[in-house]
Amino acid sequence: MSAFQHRHASHCESGVMAALVTHAGLPLSEPMAFGLASTLSFAYIPLIKVGGLPLVAYRALPHAITKGLRKPLGLTMQVETFRKADQGVARLDELVAEKQLVALQTSGFWLPYFPEDLRFHFNVHNLIVFGRDGDDYLISDPVFEDTVRCPKADLTKARFAKGLMAPKGRIYFTRSTVQEPCWGKILPAAIRKTCRTMLAPVPFAGAKGIRSLARAVAKLDNSGDGAHARHFLGHMVRMQEEIGTGGGGFRFIYAAFLQEAAELLNLPPLATKADEMIAIGDEWREIALAAALMIRGRKLLEPKLIAAMLSTQADREESFFRALRALV
Amino acid sequence: MDDSQVPQEGNALFKGQRKAVYARGLDGKVRPVPSAGWQVEEIVTRQALEVLAAQAETARQRALRGEASPLEYHMYRSRMDLPLLAQSTGIWQWRVRRHFRPEIFSKLSNAILSRYSEAMGVPMEKIQSAEP
């Protein structure tokens, strides 16, 4: 095995999986990991609360990339969780001693190398342990520019945090070597799957999910100090930023994926779609900006305006994915 | 988003870290570009921090007036809420709520206190007072 190479990524799970697969022999970019696992999505689920507000997600559920890459790449992943922390620590140490690259699910709140103000109880932060130095683990955290270190006690706490989607010490790794897949088969399948998700005939997912969110935003009360409306809008943008990756970031990652796919499949129309996807991502940035200005009171608080933008966005994404579906 | 539009205004909360965002270069290709941060992100993150800080401050005032135990303050200060604290300690929510009452909190055994201390990452000697 060659030495492990850290790469700065936009999103933790796609970054971790791209690094694991690359290390296993197939050079894979982050957008390719993201697109191949059909991770682009949208979900608005009022029944699941995050910090008291409805779940808004701009991509598929956590673990979707880990699971989604297995079939197209013929990848065998070993996944283990632990009931007791000491078992989890012992197993990680054993694998690290074997020089095995191990990915972990953690809670960002307990990781001391995170800037204090960015530590929230978010239980699905992924990172890779690539070595140990005394009581410190050597960590490749894809959302950081460089590799970092984390003391054992802190990492253990992060691995065994409780709450929504508790990691339970989850580790995952692969011992297999990955061969070049048949791109002509797996890429169209992955793109079709994303189209299916985005055009799903249910009110909480895809373009229809964006419309449901628009309706909920339109109903926000902006009378009085509008505290709840501001809180809700902030939450919507935060889900796009922290858990997303910078104003519609997932849309930009998907655009990068479509460009790669256009080359591998020799299908130039996909590259045109990539440019459209960038325009859609830019629109998400506009929505985030408008909401942020309203939150700070630099712009009049008008939830209906944001709702209208969201609703236009729903139409754009719907027609985008209908056209994309027809291409592959 | 083009390369030149990648926000570089800096997000004070990043403490000098940069995050990778995907943007289109002059050749038309989308690739990762390090970003020093975007004001929008800073605004919404600060907003979340302010909500948590306000909750903690209200709880601290209540504790100082003897209307609540320091536990509620420490919970908010650890950026937790009731369901999360209950899950992290394995203590039912109604019991945690009961422990918010000063007269009941002051009689808690060390065993229970240490579960709170462990879950919130607050040292045992600090858990009895509502001080940062």
Side-chain angles (χ1 to χ4, degrees):
Chain A
M1 282 268 158
S2 55
F4 171 70
Q5 279 262 309
H6 172 76
R7 270 192 307 187
H8 194 192
S10 198
H11 170 58
C12 64
E13 196 181 347
S14 47
V16 160
M17 285 310 291
L20 287 187
V21 173
T22 302
H23 195 71
L26 177 74
L28 197 75
S29 69
E30 182 192 9
M32 192 42 87
F34 184 83
L36 213 45
S38 307
T39 321
L40 191 81
S41 183
F42 185 89
Y44 168 71
I45 310 180
L47 276 175
I48 304 180
K49 303 279 189 221
V50 181
L53 290 166
L55 178 112
V56 184
Y58 298 78
R59 54 96 200 262
L61 288 174
H63 308 331
I65 305 180
T66 323
K67 287 181 190 149
L69 285 179
R70 280 187 227 172
K71 210 176 126 195
L73 296 179
L75 182 69
T76 345
M77 294 293 296
Q78 262 172 276
V79 182
E80 298 171 19
T81 54
F82 305 88
R83 204 170 302 162
K84 292 211 169 79
D86 46 359
Q87 293 168 351
V89 174
R91 179 69 174 139
L92 176 62
D93 287 348
E94 182 186 327
L95 289 164
V96 171
E98 290 170 22
K99 303 234 177 295
Q100 173 68 48
L101 213 53
V102 191
L104 310 180
Q105 182 189 340
T106 57
S107 161
F109 184 79
W110 301 104
L111 296 173
Y113 61 85
F114 262 55
E116 167 76 28
D117 287 334
L118 300 181
R119 284 195 217 155
F120 291 93
H121 293 280
F122 174 65
N123 276 337
V124 276
H125 182 66
N126 295 277
L127 51 85
I128 295 175
V129 171
F130 66 93
R132 227 181 103 186
D133 179 13
D135 236 10
D136 277 0
Y137 290 103
L138 305 178
I139 290 176
S140 161
D141 188 321
V143 299
F144 284 76
E145 272 186 287
D146 300 305
T147 57
V148 289
R149 284 167 166 259
C150 182
K152 188 180 242 177
D154 295 312
L155 189 69
T156 305
K157 201 135 193 184
R159 294 176 64 198
F160 289 91
K162 301 284 189 348
L164 186 68
M165 297 187 281
K168 301 193 185 92
R170 189 173 186 272
I171 60 173
Y172 53 105
F173 55 96
T174 180
R175 294 193 200 272
S176 56
T177 314
V178 185
Q179 309 292 336
E180 179 103 20
C182 171
W183 298 112
K185 215 174 111 196
I186 61 173
L187 284 172
I191 294 173
R192 278 196 296 270
K193 192 174 169 210
T194 300
C195 295
R196 260 202 312 279
T197 316
M198 289 306 297
L199 301 169
V202 288
F204 52 81
K208 286 194 196 307
I210 305 177
R211 250 176 233 125
S212 302
L213 173 64
R215 273 194 296 275
V217 169
K219 277 190 225 141
L220 290 175
D221 180 15
N222 61 342
S223 61
D225 65 349
H228 174 69
R230 273 179 235 276
H231 197 184
F232 190 101
L233 289 177
H235 171 75
M236 178 188 96
V237 179
R238 262 193 312 280
M239 294 299 111
Q240 194 180 329
E241 292 300 325
E242 275 155 24
I243 303 179
T245 62
F250 289 123
R251 268 64 189 161
F252 298 131
I253 300 182
Y254 202 70
F257 161 73
L258 288 176
Q259 286 185 341
E260 275 193 55
E263 270 183 35
L264 287 164
L265 297 173
N266 200 11
L267 198 64
L270 280 185
T272 317
K273 296 306 284 178
D275 281 323
E276 279 176 47
M277 187 90 270
I278 292 174
I280 287 177
D282 285 336
E283 205 48 47
W284 279 111
R285 280 170 58 82
E286 291 298 324
I287 294 174
L289 178 65
L293 294 179
M294 287 182 193
I295 290 164
R296 268 293 170 254
R298 289 190 220 149
K299 221 174 149 175
L300 193 66
L301 181 65
E302 278 180 296
K304 289 211 163 50
L305 206 75
I306 303 286
M309 290 173 97
L310 285 168
S311 164
T312 314
Q313 196 68 342
D315 297 342
R316 293 180 80 167
E317 294 216 350
E318 186 176 341
S319 61
F320 176 90
F321 285 102
R322 281 199 197 292
L324 185 64
R325 178 72 184 80
L327 278 181
V328 290
Chain B
M1 184 166 64
D2 291 330
D3 266 359
S4 55
Q5 295 167 314
V6 171
Q8 302 295 0
E9 55 241 44
N11 178 337
L13 307 178
F14 282 9
K15 297 279 182 293
Q17 294 284 346
R18 293 193 296 176
K19 73 193 255 181
V21 300
Y22 281 79
R24 179 170 46 197
L26 288 173
D27 59 354
K29 291 261 181 285
V30 182
R31 60 172 71 85
V33 180
S35 160
W38 192 27
Q39 52 155 335
V40 167
E41 185 168 16
E42 187 171 339
I43 289 173
V44 294
T45 309
R46 268 195 206 285
Q47 181 198 23
L49 292 169
E50 280 161 14
V51 169
L52 290 163
Q55 283 170 327
E57 183 53 27
T58 316
R60 196 176 75 91
Q61 295 299 337
R62 268 205 300 275
L64 291 180
R65 287 196 303 267
E67 294 164 15
S69 73
L71 181 62
E72 192 184 11
Y73 163 71
H74 288 299
M75 173 179 85
Y76 286 124
R77 201 161 170 275
S78 315
R79 299 182 184 166
M80 289 184 163
D81 55 11
L82 182 62
L84 181 57
L85 182 59
Q87 273 177 327
S88 308
T89 49
I91 299 173
W92 281 349
Q93 289 194 28
W94 65 266
R95 256 187 99 194
V96 177
R97 221 178 282 123
R98 208 166 152 265
H99 296 163
F100 287 165
R101 286 163 54 188
E103 72 278 16
I104 287 162
F105 183 76
S106 62
K107 286 188 211 133
L108 287 183
S109 67
N110 270 339
I112 293 281
L113 285 178
S114 76
R115 274 158 82 178
Y116 282 123
S117 151
E118 173 75 10
M120 301 186 299
V122 175
M124 281 293 270
E125 60 274 16
K126 283 194 170 170
I127 209 163
Q128 302 277 13
S129 79
E131 290 310 321

